Amino acid sequence: MSTTREIKRIVNSITTVEGEGFLVHRPFPTNAMTQFDPFLLLDEMGPKEYGPREAKGAPDHPHRGFETVTYMIEGSFQHKDSNENAGRLGPGDVQWMTAGSGVIHSEMPAKEFEETGGRLHGFQLWVNLPSRDKMAKPRYQDIPASKIPVAHIGNEGIVRVIAGEALGKKAVIDTRTPIIYLHFMLKPGDKIEQHVPREYNVFAYIVEGEGEFGEANDAQTRARRGQMVIFESNGDSVSIAAPKSLRSDLSVLLIGGIPLNEPVARYGPFVMNTQMEIYQAIEDYRAGRFGTIQP
Ligand code: FE2
């Protein structure tokens, strides 16, 4: 029999700026929660309306020792890196980048979007790599929205399966350690019970609206846009509902994975296990061993 997880706590995101100065909402890392093992960061870019030539990005910067997962909701970005990969990300597209031993990355608004402006909304998740994979060869999985499996829920709700499995649909993305990354869009009155293995750490991030998390007869908890709901590890499923009474859609990311339980040495875009490995990363970067982005 499946047991529904209770809610451990609800965290408010902070608002900050990244890259050249674009707005992000960040549930973690913060001083109060430096990581959510195996995840290192979640940034919600926007939602924000930009005028012509106002949109900002993150020009050339390095990464080593983890993965960056970009998921666009609105607007478009152009990614490039030192391995001559380049890809445009539009609404619903996902780029799962395994930085591994190191890349130089550039994430800028796509040219047409930059020219005309518009609404920008997206997410970046950092997934830590186990020590055996930190120096793995970099890899890119660029998945267009049309290739992301979608399952239907009740009253016109859907779930987009970015990683893992939901309602019999399996993701097309490979992950180095088991991960679920699901985007639920529920209509008022919809309720889902999603299987999550007991050994996973799991949280929900509310993108739009307000939802009810946990079982009604336990400590069911309401959370709203911009909040992160952390589930207890006392069950093998989570319950999410869009209350009928609120009459608004609920958009939620459900993200989970097996904790690595390894030491984390972190310095900006380098995430390793020891301080020595961080010094090595800085030295390799300074010596140009991460390569350069070709114009
Ligand atoms: Fe990056």
Side-chain angles (χ1 to χ4, degrees):
M1 216 187 87
S2 95
T3 323
T4 307
R5 294 185 184 215
E6 290 172 3
I7 309 306
K8 191 170 190 178
R9 64 194 166 102
I10 294 183
V11 172
N12 292 318
S13 46
I14 60 162
T15 302
T16 183
V17 287
E18 258 308 320
E20 290 176 316
F22 60 88
L23 170 97
V24 302
H25 300 287
R26 176 177 295 165
F28 70 96
T30 61
N31 290 336
M33 180 167 49
T34 56
Q35 64 160 343
F36 186 80
D37 197 6
F39 306 104
L40 299 161
L41 166 146
L42 180 69
D43 271 356
E44 178 182 27
M45 302 176 273
K48 189 173 157 70
E49 200 72 49
Y50 288 98
R53 286 171 294 282
E54 272 178 17
K56 306 263 190 288
D60 304 10
H61 57 276
H63 291 291
R64 174 180 278 181
F66 62 102
E67 302 180 286
T68 69
V69 181
T70 309
Y71 174 41
M72 292 304 295
I73 309 277
E74 291 175 276
S76 66
F77 260 75
Q78 175 77 38
H79 282 198
K80 281 188 190 168
D81 63 67
S82 47
N83 291 322
E84 292 179 31
N85 291 294
R88 194 175 168 281
L89 282 143
D93 297 344
V94 176
Q95 186 196 51
W96 197 291
M97 179 185 82
T98 307
S101 61
V103 294
I104 305 291
H105 200 204
S106 156
E107 301 159 73
M108 299 301 288
K111 214 161 190 62
E112 345 52 282
F113 183 80
E114 212 253 324
E115 295 278 306
T116 58
R119 203 172 140 89
L120 185 78
H121 192 194
F123 288 89
Q124 190 165 93
L125 176 72
W126 289 10
V127 183
N128 203 0
L129 285 168
S131 88
R132 63 170 188 275
D133 287 341
K134 284 196 177 289
M135 293 300 278
K137 198 169 155 254
R139 182 182 177 198
Y140 301 82
Q141 299 178 74
D142 278 306
I143 316 293
S146 59
K147 295 267 167 62
I148 305 275
V150 175
H152 295 268
I153 299 162
N155 179 21
E156 294 175 14
I158 59 164
V159 56
R160 307 188 73 233
V161 184
I162 297 167
E165 197 176 337
L167 297 165
K169 301 272 182 177
K170 264 202 165 112
V172 295
I173 289 171
D174 295 328
T175 62
R176 307 283 301 206
T177 58
I179 302 280
I180 54 164
Y181 188 157
L182 306 171
H183 183 187
F184 288 99
M185 282 166 270
L186 305 180
K187 296 286 174 189
D190 285 343
K191 184 183 177 194
I192 60 106
E193 191 76 28
Q194 169 66 37
H195 170 71
V196 179
R198 279 180 190 271
E199 63 272 30
Y200 280 34
N201 273 343
V202 64
F203 71 93
Y205 182 81
I206 297 93
V207 182
E208 217 63 77
E210 188 173 332
E212 280 174 352
F213 299 81
E215 243 351 297
N217 45 2
D218 298 340
Q220 189 183 46
T221 308
R222 269 196 186 191
R224 59 173 197 281
R225 201 210 111 60
Q227 291 185 313
M228 171 187 185
V229 176
I230 300 177
F231 292 92
E232 290 281 8
S233 52
N234 59 354
D236 55 8
S237 74
V238 300
S239 168
I240 303 177
K244 209 165 197 161
S245 56
L246 292 180
R247 297 200 199 108
S248 63
D249 291 2
L250 172 66
S251 170
V252 173
L253 304 180
L254 185 71
I255 297 173
I258 297 179
L260 303 178
N261 293 314
E262 290 182 355
V264 173
R266 184 168 184 164
Y267 179 74
F270 307 121
V271 184
M272 304 301 289
N273 300 113
T274 68
Q275 201 54 42
M276 280 310 287
E277 290 167 342
I278 293 291
Y279 296 142
Q280 186 66 53
I282 295 168
E283 198 183 306
D284 289 348
Y285 170 57
R286 288 196 180 138
R289 292 183 198 115
F290 285 37
T292 48
I293 297 180
Q294 300 304 317

